[in-house]
Amino acid sequence: MMKITEKSDVYSYGVVALEVLTGKQPIDPTIPDGLHVVDWVRRCRDRADALDAALRGRSSPEVEEMLQVMGVALLCVSATPDDRPTMKDVAAMLREIRLEREDVANVDVLLKGASSPPRHGDAPKATSSTSSTPPYRQGPSNSNSCSSSSFSAIYSSSNKAKSPFG
């Protein structure tokens, strides 16, 4: 019998996140070759193709945000438990995604000349800057893998475990 650990909970979270983003069950009859949803997403050359069709039609910033969350989910389902982030790290990565979205919304509002941008919280929060090229848009290193997300850098800086994408 398998031992339930924080790392197995992290894996389960990653699977659930992939289910939500892809609209597929872990073992889904619509996935070719009987692959598990985790393996299917890993093999996708373009992660946007793995998104549920109902989600792909959303605005570009929303799709980009979903792809970033997919990158976090893929860190969570790393084959080696020691390579998975902690839930604290996962929460931090998801907060960073939200803050990046809010920062983009703030810039858009300011460029349109509005006096105060819409916020979910009270005061604007400072965030660190990230690369201007979204990592999930970079091409895969081979036909069966996709590039890492910026979260592998965040994760590796807060944890000594080797990132599965780096």
Side-chain angles (χ1 to χ4, degrees):
M1 182 175 218
M2 296 202 61
K3 183 179 175 187
I4 303 300
T5 66
E6 179 187 7
K7 296 297 184 163
S8 62
D9 286 346
V10 169
Y11 186 93
S12 296
Y13 172 80
V15 172
V16 170
L18 290 175
E19 286 182 72
V20 170
L21 293 166
T22 64
K24 309 262 186 221
Q25 297 175 358
I27 303 295
D28 196 293
T30 65
I31 297 176
D33 303 324
L35 291 173
H36 190 277
V37 68
V38 170
D39 297 319
W40 177 68
V41 172
R42 283 181 182 147
R43 290 184 183 191
C44 286
R45 293 183 130 236
D46 183 356
R47 294 273 161 75
D49 291 339
L51 286 175
D52 188 325
L55 299 176
R56 278 184 248 147
R58 307 290 299 231
S59 70
S60 181
E62 289 175 316
V63 170
E64 288 178 18
E65 187 174 330
M66 288 182 275
L67 291 171
Q68 288 178 319
V69 172
M70 186 177 286
V72 172
L74 287 169
L75 287 173
C76 292
V77 296
S78 176
T80 306
D82 288 341
D83 290 342
R84 297 176 197 149
T86 64
M87 281 310 295
K88 182 178 180 179
D89 290 335
V90 170
M93 289 183 269
L94 295 174
R95 271 192 302 277
E96 182 68 22
I97 291 169
R98 185 190 72 224
L99 291 173
E100 286 178 20
R101 174 180 37 91
E102 289 175 355
D103 286 347
V104 168
N106 290 344
V107 169
D108 287 346
V109 168
L110 291 173
L111 289 175
K112 292 177 184 174
S115 60
S116 64
R119 301 279 312 172
H120 290 288
D122 293 335
K125 298 177 184 174
T127 62
S128 60
S129 63
T130 58
S131 170
S132 62
T133 304
Y136 53 82
R137 293 284 187 215
Q138 299 169 0
S141 58
N142 64 48
S143 63
N144 288 331
S145 69
C146 296
S147 68
S148 70
S149 78
S150 60
F151 305 108
S152 59
I154 294 169
Y155 172 57
S156 64
S157 70
S158 67
N159 189 328
K160 297 296 181 201
K162 181 182 171 196
S163 167
F165 298 108

